[in-house]
Amino acid sequence: MARQRVRIMERMGRAERTAGGEHRPGGTGGFSPLLWVAAAYAWRLIVVGAAVYVIFVALGRFHLVTLALFLALVVTALLEPLTDLLDRWMPRSAAVTAGLLLGIVLVLGVLSLVGATVAGEWQGLSRELEGGVTRIERWLERGPVHLRHGTLSQLQSWLSRFIATHRSSLFNTAVSGLGRLVDVLTVGALALFCSVFFLHSGGRMWRWFGGQLPEHRRGPARIGGRAAWTTFTGYTRGIVVVAATNALLVGVALFILGIPLVVPLAVLEFFAAFIPLVGSPVALAVAAVVALAAKGPLAAVVVVLLIVVIGQFEGHVLHPLVMSRAVRLHPVVVALSVICGAVTAGVLGAVVAVPLVSVVWSVYGVLRTTDLTVPTP
């Protein structure tokens, strides 16, 4: 830092002497050297901030394409080990096809299991929820809250009147949701299409991209790209292991407690775990509401305690054991990343924020500690 400041002041002094101006002490034109250094860094930060803003605007403009590419990278990171294993006994094209088919069958099987479970338990769950609402109302009236009698009934009638009054707007929202469904199908098709090429010839595509760069930029690009992919694959596979473990623990606990909809709630916990620090408690809060309606306050309290236990287990055991090599970020950085991502792009931003920050930090770390003047193999 000090040497860089000295170089900046020397360049300023030479510029003043070249221009024939009066040379003041320090070569800073009468201003404080600290002010010159701050100004030199300020305009650079402004340029970097403007570039980041333009990138985010472009990504937001083409958010469907960005989402499809992100999903394709996730699929590639998850299926690459299986594809490489199958590649030993069959051609690469057949290995990619088999890996993708197995992944699609697994996802459709889980969704079918969830649908069958909800359909099979729906009637019994409706009766339990009706009785649970009555129990909750009695508990709120007689418990420490002392809710006025008939408040929940009035709330239910108000909700019915609201739905009847705003039926047209709700219908328009549902119709717009069909447009969202088309977007989801488009993103899924594009992600699957890109996944095929990433799994089949992703290495050749990256080498081609590196070949388009100037000679002195190819080494840093190769090193940074390797670090970025290692971090991304480590994070993706690690978060899947963490999410599956959380879902298994939640499913077993809810089954022991006799809570209905065990499989859908466990699947909800699996997908919610992809949002660090926030997703898992939200999913378990939904399970607590179902437990409160179906089994009463005691079961809901047990589920709330389960939130604390699983949170501690995830933070102190799973993440350090599974993801310590891929993600070396302080929990405060993770929390701020999730919040900033959610504010910027909603749920998708919360999911993408941590892997994005992890990749950027790993690339910065490897480029900072690598001597780029030595040719890389």
Side-chain angles (χ1 to χ4, degrees), residues 70-152:
F70 176 76
L71 292 177
L73 291 175
V74 170
V75 172
T76 304
L78 295 178
L79 296 182
E80 187 180 33
L82 177 61
T83 303
D84 293 339
L85 180 63
L86 295 176
D87 191 29
R88 300 178 181 179
W89 297 287
M90 60 182 67
R92 185 70 180 180
S93 301
V96 171
T97 303
L100 288 174
L101 288 178
L102 288 175
I104 293 173
V105 169
L106 178 62
V107 172
L108 293 180
V110 171
L111 295 178
S112 301
L113 180 61
V114 172
T117 303
V118 173
E121 299 183 5
W122 183 253
Q123 294 182 352
L125 181 63
S126 300
R127 292 192 298 268
E128 290 184 357
L129 288 178
E130 290 178 0
V133 170
T134 304
R135 290 194 299 269
I136 292 173
E137 186 174 7
R138 292 175 181 173
W139 178 74
L140 292 175
E141 292 174 357
R142 301 173 183 175
V145 180
H146 295 293
L147 190 68
R148 189 168 58 87
H149 180 71
T151 302
L152 292 183

Side-chain angles (χ1 to χ4, degrees), residues 350-362:
V351 174
V352 176
V354 176
L356 178 61
V357 173
S358 301
V359 167
V360 172
W361 181 252
S362 66

